[in-house]
Amino acid sequence: MLTTAIKKKEITLKRFLRKNLLYYIIPNVVFNTIIPYFSFTDLNAVHLFAGEQNLARFILPMAFFLPFIITFDILKKTITLSEKGHSEIVLSEGAKKKKFIFQMAGINGFCTVSFVFALMLGLHFGFPEWYDYNGTVLSVLLGLTAGIFSVLFTYLPIKKLKKHHLPYLKEEHVNQIKEGQLPDQYKEDQHASRPLLLKD
């Protein structure tokens, strides 16, 4: 019965993540393609940093805020789902959840924008200073990048969150509970819908 309950919660979490991924990926791909495309006055003269028509003013804010917001939102929703007993992920009562959420969101945003900026610098110094990029191509690439970020930062934070997940009891321990021989290192969670957890 315990195994069945865990599998149901695993399925619930997977459906939950797929549903939220659709909410993230569709608008981000559309908006990050359309807005730059119509903002470039000359699609044949777009630069990385120079001039008013530059790529940096679109991609750098996106590279920070998109990972930050998605990470923050998906972790908050997943932890709420866990607290209601509908997720396979179980966190200890003393877990610093808000600190973890902000920390993960900040790290993901900072690392992503740093990587994108470094990549742009490489292109900047690798091509002539006023090299012209095609605005249409860049707009499509921005949309695709937003889609990739949406997928990555929907699933990567959950993978990290699972490292703080408290383990379920093994089948032999379930049998020991029935026989009244539960080892001292285990205790029963107060919530009937939650698994048995390890003591700190």
Side-chain angles (χ1 to χ4, degrees):
M1 292 180 66
L2 182 62
T3 303
T4 303
I6 294 172
K7 287 182 178 179
K8 286 182 179 179
K9 290 181 179 182
E10 288 176 351
I11 293 171
T12 300
L13 181 61
K14 287 178 181 178
R15 289 176 177 173
F16 168 80
L17 292 175
R18 284 197 296 266
K19 181 180 178 181
N20 279 275
L21 177 59
L22 289 176
Y23 292 151
Y24 298 142
I25 197 170
I26 294 174
N28 278 311
V29 169
V30 172
F31 290 135
N32 283 286
T33 301
I34 292 177
I35 292 175
Y37 180 81
F38 288 104
S39 297
F40 296 139
T41 53
D42 186 355
L43 292 173
N44 294 313
V46 179
H47 309 289
L48 293 179
F49 297 103
E52 295 182 1
Q53 285 214 140
N54 64 76
L55 179 66
R57 66 189 178 117
F58 294 106
I59 194 169
L60 292 180
M62 181 193 77
F64 177 79
F65 288 109
L66 196 149
F68 184 95
I69 292 171
I70 292 179
T71 299
F72 183 93
D73 189 61
I74 197 65
L75 283 177
K76 184 178 179 181
K77 288 179 179 179
T78 303
I79 289 174
T80 300
L81 190 73
S82 172
E83 291 173 341
K84 293 179 179 179
H86 301 313
S87 168
E88 67 191 83
I89 300 174
V90 180
L91 302 174
S92 64
E93 295 296 330
K96 297 179 180 179
K97 299 167 187 175
K98 290 184 179 179
K99 180 180 178 181
F100 176 77
I101 292 172
F102 277 104
Q103 188 178 47
M104 280 298 301
I107 290 173
N108 287 347
F110 177 77
C111 290
T112 305
V113 73
S114 298
F115 173 77
V116 171
F117 182 67
L119 185 63
M120 291 181 68
L121 281 179
L123 292 173
H124 177 69
F125 290 112
F127 289 89
E129 183 177 356
W130 289 94
Y131 182 83
D132 293 331
Y133 293 85
N134 186 279
T136 302
V137 174
L138 291 181
S139 298
V140 173
L141 288 176
L142 274 170
L144 291 175
T145 302
I148 292 171
F149 286 170
S150 297
V151 175
L152 283 177
F153 297 107
T154 297
Y155 288 99
L156 285 180
I158 304 306
K159 185 178 180 180
K160 183 71 174 179
L161 182 65
K162 285 183 177 182
K163 292 183 178 180
H164 298 270
H165 168 60
L166 291 171
Y168 291 94
L169 286 175
K170 297 179 181 179
E171 291 294 335
E172 57 265 27
H173 293 137
V174 175
N175 295 330
Q176 286 179 319
I177 293 170
K178 294 178 181 179
E179 297 171 1
Q181 299 175 352
L182 178 64
D184 292 336
Q185 68 265 35
Y186 291 102
K187 66 178 181 178
E188 185 174 1
D189 192 359
Q190 295 177 351
H191 304 286
S193 62
R194 303 286 287 277
L196 298 169
L197 309 179
L198 282 169
K199 285 186 177 180
D200 296 331

